[in-house]
């Protein structure tokens, strides 16, 4: 069950006596009520804890309408949770034969996509909770998946050194792109003509899917890239890497300056987890998980840390921002998820 902050806890830990009108209108009653910060979201409490997974949580994402959260774990299960109210776990989906490393909602919120160490990607009906299709073709762990912003295409990246493009309505991949090293992160660009990938060679590559070749590469990271996320406007990509930096890159075709921002603070540990990153819907803040058990959120304009959120007792592997309210969700190796209210 979710754990809520007690009503008696004020922002400074004190209790404040205030006047509260009696039912008879005399106004002589005194009651002890909490004096705390103004609420900024519709969450039942400023912090909500979600428990139920039996293994490390590797992925957590809000649905496009913000009403649900999907989480994926080492326990091979996908859980669906209500964002608001008591955050009930209302569905569990089972079908992968290995740990689930990555998870995304389709743009219309109808389907879920998952990538697993069982060498497959799966497509799920988000409403019924059943698997619609298992996408086979990779010969090693599938580390990352990403749906296109429109349509039914998705891209996957694997330890087998290939990037594959699929149509979620069909069996078999459409294209397979060879990479010299393991691929640890993939993302679609603004359109399906552009795919962005990264891996053990530390280079972020932007592929032209019309020519099936690399348009350009972006160098700067000094260790393996663990996560990629396209900006809301489609013109930039955010990358997280084991060199302990998060970077913002310009992926527009005719840009002359690719690297725009570098964000410091988040850590990577001996676990070598594929820690992911995220943008707020307005593109003004970015965030990522961290091996030091915190969630980091930065102001894009200043590159300064806006929030360093504690609470987890294990590496934070994924975070996501709510599509319309100032809420962040985080999933951790401590098997828990946290929902946190922000002021942005």
């Amino acid at each position: 069950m979710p754990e809520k902050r007690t009503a008696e806890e004020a922002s400074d830990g004190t209790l404040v006596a205030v006047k509260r009108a009696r039912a008879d209108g005399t106004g002589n009653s005194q009651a002890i009520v909490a004096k705390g910060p103004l609420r900024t979201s519709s969450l039942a409490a400023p912090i909500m804890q979600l428990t139920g997974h039996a293994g490390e949580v590797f992925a957590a994402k809000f649905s496009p309408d913000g009403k649900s959260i999907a989480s994926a774990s080492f326990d091979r299960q996908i859980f669906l949770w209500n964002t608001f109210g008591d955050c009930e776990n209302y569905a569990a989906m089972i079908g992968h034969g290995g740990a689930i490393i990555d998870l995304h909602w389709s743009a219309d919120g109808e389907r879920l996509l998952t990538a697993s160490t069982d060498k497959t990607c799966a497509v799920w009906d988000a409403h019924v909770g059943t698997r619609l299709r298992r996408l086979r073709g990779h010969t090693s762990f599938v580390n990352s998946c990403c749906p296109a912003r429109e349509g039914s295409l998705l891209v996957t990246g694997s330890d087998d050194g290939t990037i594959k493009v699929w149509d979620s309505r069909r069996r078999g991949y459409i294209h397979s792109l060879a990479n010299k090293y393991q691929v640890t992160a993939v993302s679609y660009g603004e359109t399906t003509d552009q795919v962005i990938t990264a891996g053990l060679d530390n280079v972020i590559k932007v592929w032209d899917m019309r020519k099936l070749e690399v348009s350009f590469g972006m160098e700067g990271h000094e260790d393996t890239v663990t996560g990629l996320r396209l900006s809301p406007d489609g013109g930039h990509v955010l990358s997280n890497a084991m060199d302990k930096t998060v970077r913002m890159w310009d992926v527009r075709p005719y840009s002359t300056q690719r690297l725009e921002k570098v964000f410091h603070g988040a850590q990577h540990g001996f676990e070598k987890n594929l820690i992911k990153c995220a943008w707020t819907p307005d593109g003004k803040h970015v965030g990522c998980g961290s091996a030091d058990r915190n969630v980091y959120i930065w102001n894009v304009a200043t590159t300064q840390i806006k929030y360093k959120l504690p609470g987890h007792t294990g590496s934070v592997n994924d975070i996501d921002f709510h599509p319309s309210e100032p809420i962040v969700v985080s999933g951790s190796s401590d098997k828990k998820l946290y929902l946190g209210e922000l002021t942005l």
Side-chain angles (χ1 to χ4, degrees):
M1 288 293 292
E3 295 178 8
K4 303 177 185 177
R5 181 179 293 175
T6 58
E8 292 79 12
E9 183 183 349
S11 59
D12 57 359
T14 62
L15 295 175
V16 182
V18 298
K19 282 281 189 182
R20 177 178 291 170
R22 272 186 178 175
D24 60 7
T26 61
N28 294 322
S29 172
Q30 281 212 340
I32 301 296
V33 298
K35 178 187 176 184
L38 291 175
R39 297 294 306 280
T40 61
S41 79
S42 304
L43 288 177
I47 301 170
M48 300 290 286
Q49 184 189 89
L50 284 59
T51 59
H53 278 295
E56 297 175 77
V57 179
F58 291 128
K61 299 287 191 300
F62 285 109
S63 60
D65 64 8
K67 295 179 181 178
S68 299
I69 301 161
S71 59
S73 168
F74 183 80
D75 65 13
R76 309 179 185 182
Q77 297 188 82
I78 303 141
F79 283 177
L80 297 180
W81 316 78
N82 288 320
T83 303
F84 303 110
D86 287 335
C87 300
E88 300 91 351
N89 173 206
Y90 67 86
M93 293 180 279
I94 302 170
H96 275 296
I100 303 171
I101 305 298
D102 198 11
L103 172 149
H104 287 273
W105 294 82
S106 61
D108 59 9
E110 296 293 318
R111 297 179 179 183
L112 282 164
L113 312 173
T114 52
S116 172
T117 58
D118 66 7
K119 308 177 187 179
T120 71
C121 181
V123 183
W124 308 80
D125 186 311
H127 298 294
V128 181
T130 57
R131 189 178 64 204
L132 300 174
R133 186 156 280 109
R134 177 181 286 177
L135 304 177
R136 293 186 175 96
H138 285 294
T139 58
S140 189
F141 296 172
V142 184
N143 295 314
S144 183
C145 62
C146 183
R149 290 195 164 178
E150 294 183 1
S152 57
L153 296 183
L154 65 140
V155 61
T156 56
S158 168
D159 274 358
D160 64 14
T162 67
I163 303 106
K164 297 189 189 298
V165 175
W166 316 74
D167 187 327
S168 62
R169 300 169 299 183
R170 305 174 187 173
R171 292 184 179 179
Y173 53 83
I174 301 171
H175 302 296
S176 183
L177 309 171
N179 196 61
K180 187 176 180 181
Y181 300 97
Q182 291 98 315
V183 180
T184 52
V186 297
S187 174
Y188 258 111
E190 176 67 6
T191 69
T192 54
D193 291 337
Q194 190 182 64
V195 165
I196 306 163
T197 67
L200 264 63
D201 57 0
N202 313 338
V203 179
I204 299 170
K205 297 174 182 176
V206 179
W207 300 75
D208 184 336
M209 297 310 296
R210 294 165 296 187
K211 300 178 181 179
L212 300 180
E213 62 183 28
V214 176
S215 296
F216 55 89
M218 300 183 293
E219 299 184 12
H221 279 300
E222 298 176 357
D223 206 339
T224 302
V225 177
T226 61
L228 292 172
R229 196 75 174 267
L230 190 69
S231 64
D233 66 7
H236 297 81
V237 70
L238 191 69
S239 62
N240 186 20
M242 292 184 185
D243 62 6
K244 302 179 182 178
T245 66
V246 175
R247 297 174 185 241
M248 174 179 153
W249 310 82
D250 190 332
V251 293
R252 292 172 292 188
Y254 302 108
S255 172
T256 56
Q257 178 66 37
R258 294 295 177 190
L259 179 61
E260 290 199 356
K261 306 274 186 179
V262 181
F263 307 93
H264 297 277
Q267 302 296 306
H268 284 257
F270 65 90
E271 307 99 328
K272 301 293 184 184
N273 287 351
L274 297 181
I275 299 175
K276 303 169 188 70
C277 48
W279 299 79
T280 54
D282 61 7
K284 294 180 179 179
H285 293 84
V286 296
C288 73
S290 176
D292 66 4
R293 309 174 183 179
N294 295 305
V295 173
Y296 286 82
I297 299 172
W298 296 268
N299 181 299
V300 170
T302 66
T303 71
Q304 298 300 303
I305 295 174
K306 173 80 171 180
Y307 283 99
K308 181 180 176 182
L309 303 173
H312 283 291
T313 57
S315 171
V316 182
N317 301 315
D318 194 12
I319 75 161
D320 195 27
F321 293 101
H322 192 276
S324 58
E325 295 199 28
I327 304 170
V328 64
V329 63
S330 55
S332 167
S333 294
D334 64 10
K335 309 177 187 177
K336 299 173 184 175
L337 291 88
Y338 276 107
L339 284 171
E341 184 176 281
L342 305 172
T343 303
L344 296 174

